[in-house]
Amino acid sequence: MLKLLKRLPAITPETPDEALVRRAQGGESAAFKALFERHVVAVRRFLRDLLRTPDAADDATQETFARAHAQLVKLPDHDRFKAWVLGIARNVAFEAMRVRRHDALDEDDDALPVAVIPSPDPEGLLLDAELEKHFAHALGTLSETRRAALLMRLDHGLAYEDIAQAFGWTLPTVKNEIHRARLKLRVALLPHLKGERP
Amino acid sequence: MSRCGRTSHLESLLRHDEPELRAHAKQCALCRHELNWLESEAALFRQRAGRDEVAHLWSGVVRQPPRRRFGLLMAGLATAAAVLLLLAAPRTARTADEGPLETDALMSPALNFDDEPGCSRLPSGLGFTCQSSLPASVLASR
């Protein structure tokens, strides 16, 4: 009985995801709320980049976390919460966009640049309102699938292996898709980036 | 260097420093070019992060239909209620809009069937059991 009454350690910013997932799976709602607070900004940004309207992103974010809460008991790898919840977000977004099966991997292959793209100077690169607009537009030129894969890697730092699992792709496919998305993004961004390095 | 200009190789420099690789990238035009792009992309994505207002979203998560958020416990209770209903119900023909929806609706703690004839609260307090004469359309409207 004393064991049952024993208090769990307080949740702090240092509490790892793995511990929060275990506690949330045990029914501790504060642990799930902590996971929400830790990842909601990233999930919402991911969904905004996919759905491209703030209201749709808000709805999809709520749906994503509601699904995550419902399915949390099924998450075996407690330290993979971020990859897992972004996978759910991707599914929610694709459902919202009613992606057809022929929204294929090679949808935007024809635009794949073949010339060498000059490189920008990363130092002092400032994302002002104007550049952010161009950046969002450049992302929007990618197919939905490819955009989701690129965002998972570049914006959210997921491992290629985690992205492969989320999409059901092989590792070489993931690398190829992200590479192609990167090239297209660079071509779209280049005219708006100041400075150039040889 | 055999992997010159390889993105997946150079990406590691964004996460942790590898002095040998960085020194090579300074000397190699191909690697320097790719690294400039990788660092520029990272800078752009980093600057976008943290600008969103998200505090209002939690209330929407907790307001989601509760049937989704009770996991195995609710699935078990729903199954038990369905079995009870099947055993207790008179053998009448079902209409097309009856079926699984009833089970979901009956097990939702957000619904209240206290005043409904033929319905009674389950001993667990988490749901209701009703006679199957209550149409699914009524349940769905709750």
Side-chain angles (χ1 to χ4, degrees):
Chain A
M1 189 64 178
L2 280 175
K3 269 188 179 178
L4 290 174
L5 294 174
K6 188 179 173 185
R7 281 173 181 256
L8 289 163
I11 292 170
T12 68
E14 286 74 38
T15 307
D17 275 8
E18 186 176 1
L20 291 176
V21 168
R22 284 183 196 281
R23 289 169 65 165
Q25 285 178 333
E28 189 181 347
S29 57
F32 185 75
K33 190 172 185 193
L35 286 166
F36 170 84
E37 286 167 352
R38 192 171 289 180
H39 296 287
V40 64
V41 171
V43 168
R44 202 259 183 194
R45 192 169 69 249
F46 178 65
L47 287 163
R48 191 198 57 202
D49 286 335
L50 289 179
L51 297 169
R52 313 195 68 192
T53 64
D55 287 347
D58 284 354
D59 291 345
T61 302
Q62 291 171 335
E63 176 66 18
T64 296
F65 278 97
R67 287 190 195 183
H69 192 253
Q71 298 168 13
L72 194 63
V73 288
K74 298 177 190 168
L75 176 62
D77 303 325
H78 299 122
D79 56 344
R80 287 189 62 254
F81 182 80
K82 185 178 182 183
W84 181 72
V85 80
L86 283 175
I88 295 175
R90 167 194 167 272
N91 291 340
V92 170
F94 282 14
E95 284 171 25
M97 293 185 289
R98 299 175 189 277
V99 172
R100 295 183 296 274
R101 287 189 69 82
H102 67 76
D103 177 27
L105 301 179
D106 57 358
E107 187 184 68
D108 52 7
D109 275 1
D110 55 341
L112 189 65
V114 289
V116 173
I117 311 164
S119 62
D121 183 355
E123 289 171 21
L125 194 59
L126 181 65
L127 185 70
D128 56 18
E130 187 70 11
L131 182 53
E132 188 163 9
K133 193 177 77 179
H134 292 304
F135 190 69
H137 177 76
L139 280 173
T141 63
L142 303 172
S143 73
E144 289 149 357
T145 332
R146 197 167 275 170
R147 185 160 76 239
L150 182 83
L151 290 167
M152 282 182 170
R153 179 65 188 162
L154 269 64
D155 196 13
H156 303 285
L158 262 59
Y160 287 113
E161 291 80 2
D162 285 334
I163 301 169
Q165 193 171 337
F167 280 81
W169 291 349
T170 63
L171 201 54
T173 302
V174 172
K175 289 186 175 180
N176 188 41
E177 288 303 309
I178 291 176
H179 177 69
R180 286 166 180 270
R182 253 188 170 124
L183 290 182
K184 194 166 183 197
L185 184 71
R186 289 174 185 181
V187 168
L189 272 180
L190 190 64
H192 311 290
L193 297 180
K194 289 166 189 158
E196 186 177 315
R197 281 186 173 179
Chain B
M1 183 169 280
S2 61
R3 306 178 81 181
C4 264
R6 288 281 291 274
T7 305
S8 56
H9 192 43
L10 292 164
E11 271 183 319
S12 61
L13 285 177
L14 301 181
R15 288 169 179 77
H16 48 87
D17 203 23
E18 294 181 35
E20 193 184 341
L21 181 58
R22 188 167 288 281
H24 165 81
K26 276 189 179 175
Q27 303 299 320
C28 169
L30 198 57
C31 287
R32 193 169 63 242
H33 167 83
E34 182 61 21
L35 191 57
N36 281 344
W37 264 113
L38 292 176
E39 288 176 341
S40 297
E41 290 163 358
L44 291 174
F45 277 109
R46 195 168 50 244
Q47 289 179 53
R48 280 187 345 142
R51 293 187 180 182
D52 297 337
E53 178 54 49
V54 293
H56 62 292
L57 296 176
W58 174 250
S59 60
V61 174
V62 295
R63 271 204 310 266
Q64 290 283 325
R67 64 186 168 82
R68 291 183 153 175
R69 296 187 283 110
F70 280 85
L72 292 176
L73 171 67
M74 291 309 292
L77 288 172
T79 307
V83 170
L84 280 174
L85 281 172
L86 280 173
L87 292 175
R91 299 281 176 188
T92 54
R94 284 179 176 272
T95 59
D97 65 344
E98 292 177 298
L101 177 61
E102 270 192 39
T103 305
D104 282 344
L106 285 172
M107 293 314 300
S108 171
L111 302 178
N112 190 342
F113 289 89
D114 275 333
D115 300 329
E116 205 66 54
C119 292
S120 60
R121 190 176 284 274
L122 289 171
S124 65
L126 289 173
F128 292 83
T129 179
C130 296
Q131 297 299 318
S132 63
S133 57
L134 197 60
S137 55
V138 172
L139 300 174
S141 68
R142 299 307 175 105

